[in-house]
Amino acid sequence: MAKLVSKTYGEALFELAVEENKLDALMEEVEAVIQVLDANEDFVKLMSHPKISVEEKCSVLENVFHGRVSDELTGFFLTIEEKGRFKEIYQILSYFIDECREYKKIGVAHVTSAAALKEEQKEAVEKRLLETTKYESFVMNFEVDPSLIGGMKIRIGDRVVDSSIKTKLNNMAKSLSEIQLSN
C-alpha cells in the first residue's frame, strides 16, 4: 500500500516537474527538503500526529516552506497533508528522486568490496558501469565489507552482480554438498 501511495504522489510531482520544465530545480529542492527532514525527525512526527488538525498542520507547512521552496512544492506538501499522507513523505520524495534520476539517465550504484578501493579503482568501476549500462552518469556509493574476502558486489536498483569470494565459496560448498558419494 505504501508503495502505491509513494508511486502515485511521487509520479504526480515528477509529471508536474516535467510539465513545468522545472525538473532540475524541483529535484534540488526535494533533496534539500529530505536533508532538512532528516535533521528534524520530530517535524514528520508532528505532521503525522492525530490530535493536531489538518488546518493547523497546513498552517505549519505554509510557515515552514512558503518562500523557502517553490510554490509548486509548498502546494504539493499541502496536498499530501490534506490527504493524510504526510507520514509517507520520505517514500514519496524518494520515489520522485528515483524517477528524476531515471529520466536524466543517472544510475545509483552500490559497490561493496572486501577492502577499500583506491581512487583509480573507483574510477575504473564507474567507467565500466557507464560502458555496460544505459546510464550516462552515476551516483556511486562505496562500502567495505571484509567478510567478502575478495572481489566485490555491485547493486544497481534490483540488479546485483556478485563476484565476491565469499559467494563463490558458498556456491562451491552448496555444489559439493549435493554430490552423493558412492561406496
Side-chain angles (χ1 to χ4, degrees), residues 22 26 29 65-67 69-78:
K22 294 184 176 182
L26 277 175
E29 284 184 356
F65 291 109
H66 185 73
V69 298
S70 64
D71 291 343
E72 291 88 355
L73 197 54
T74 302
F76 182 74
F77 290 149
L78 292 171

Side-chain angles (χ1 to χ4, degrees), residues 4-28:
L4 180 62
V5 169
S6 62
K7 183 180 188 305
T8 302
Y9 288 98
E11 224 165 67
L13 183 59
F14 173 74
E15 288 172 11
L16 172 72
V18 171
E19 222 173 81
E20 299 283 326
N21 200 23
K22 294 184 176 182
L23 189 69
D24 291 331
L26 277 175
M27 187 174 168
E28 194 174 302

Side-chain angles (χ1 to χ4, degrees), residues 72-171:
E72 291 88 355
L73 197 54
T74 302
F76 182 74
F77 290 149
L78 292 171
T79 301
I80 288 174
E81 181 51 53
E82 288 165 0
K83 299 289 183 181
R85 299 294 189 184
F86 206 87
K87 64 184 171 286
E88 288 143 40
I89 192 70
Y90 283 110
Q91 295 90 337
I92 293 167
L93 296 180
S94 293
Y95 186 91
F96 170 76
I97 294 292
D98 291 345
E99 284 293 294
C100 290
R101 286 182 176 150
E102 278 297 315
Y103 184 81
K104 296 174 73 168
K105 296 187 179 186
I106 300 170
V108 177
H110 298 272
V111 180
T112 308
S113 57
L117 299 176
K118 295 177 184 157
E119 208 51 48
E120 345 31 279
Q121 292 171 312
K122 290 179 179 181
E123 290 170 10
V125 169
E126 184 174 4
K127 182 177 184 241
R128 184 72 177 130
L129 291 176
L130 289 169
E131 292 169 355
T132 58
T133 64
K134 65 181 179 183
Y135 298 108
E136 295 173 2
S137 67
F138 272 96
V139 173
M140 301 295 292
N141 299 294
F142 292 95
E143 297 175 34
V144 175
D145 180 359
S147 74
L148 295 181
I149 305 168
M152 65 178 64
K153 289 192 328 188
I154 300 173
R155 182 174 57 83
I156 301 171
D158 58 358
R159 292 182 10 220
V160 177
V161 175
D162 188 343
S163 65
S164 69
I165 306 255
K166 177 182 179 180
T167 298
K168 289 179 182 180
L169 288 172
N170 286 340
N171 291 341

